[in-house]
Amino acid sequence: MPGIDLSGKVALVTGASRGIGAVVASRLAQAGARVGVNFHASSELATVISDKINKAGGEAFLVGGDVSQEDEAEAVVKQLVEHFGSIDILVNNAGINIDQLLIRMKTEDFDRVLNVNLRGAFLCTRYAMTHMIRQRSGRVINMSSVVGLSGNPGQANYAAAKAGLVGLTKAVARE
């Protein structure tokens, strides 16, 4: 991240084993942050990202857990803080999509997408903010999508979760 110095900062990126999360974790490390690389199902991919960061001179810490589950989200934040001593930046990036037209969408698929994409961000933010408030500083970045504003056929669950994330972001910013 040219021009941004995050030396001494600690970041947690949820869903960092691939895609946008992997790039964000790598870029934060390039800017000097120590980075928690969160993963749920892709430990092998997360290890590749972590190793890449460490080999480039950064400092990465693997922290597994399903952030949609309260006890695991709490543990993810707790493990990061125990390892690095603080948390300064939280990037809520964990997300899934299970696309299907609404009339064919299974209730459990609707719930799973909302749980990962929205509830996970809520839980991680709540646990990270406890530390950030004590530190009197911190940043939370929520990764949403234009689909949350415009909708998309076959993505009622994803659109609802991302629209909810926009609302969550605005409400927490005011807090």
Side-chain angles (χ1 to χ4, degrees):
M1 299 175 118
I4 297 175
D5 182 9
L6 298 176
S7 299
K9 301 293 183 187
V10 173
L12 171 61
V13 181
T14 66
S17 64
R18 58 188 170 91
I20 293 170
V23 173
V24 169
S26 295
R27 295 299 298 263
L28 288 168
Q30 288 171 5
R34 294 174 289 163
V35 180
V37 176
N38 166 252
F39 66 93
H40 175 229
S42 303
S43 64
E44 298 84 14
L45 295 173
T47 300
V48 170
I49 300 305
S50 180
D51 288 348
K52 179 181 169 187
I53 290 169
N54 290 325
K55 286 178 185 168
E59 192 173 348
F61 173 65
L62 284 173
V63 57
D66 178 353
V67 297
S68 73
Q69 300 300 310
E70 185 160 7
D71 58 338
E72 292 186 45
E74 182 179 22
V76 164
V77 173
K78 183 179 179 184
Q79 288 173 40
L80 179 87
V81 171
E82 286 176 354
H83 183 80
F84 285 130
S86 66
I87 180 169
D88 303 292
I89 303 163
L90 169 64
V91 180
N92 284 311
N93 174 73
I96 62 169
N97 62 318
I98 306 172
D99 297 347
Q100 187 60 262
L101 294 175
L102 184 72
I103 62 171
R104 294 184 183 136
M105 187 174 290
K106 295 177 185 172
T107 302
E108 58 267 21
D109 291 345
F110 184 88
D111 291 344
R112 182 70 182 139
V113 170
L114 261 73
N115 284 338
V116 172
N117 297 13
L118 181 57
R119 186 173 195 258
F122 158 72
L123 292 170
C124 288
T125 299
R126 186 173 66 190
Y127 290 114
M129 281 184 64
T130 302
H131 299 282
M132 291 176 178
I133 288 169
R134 246 184 263 129
Q135 295 169 181
R136 302 182 63 100
S137 70
R139 301 290 182 266
V140 177
I141 301 162
N142 291 326
M143 304 297 268
S144 188
S145 168
V146 68
V147 172
L149 302 175
S150 64
N152 208 25
Q155 292 191 315
N157 50 5
Y158 184 80
K162 294 302 184 173
L165 192 55
V166 170
L168 176 70
T169 302
K170 290 179 179 184
V172 172
R174 291 183 180 267
E175 290 181 18

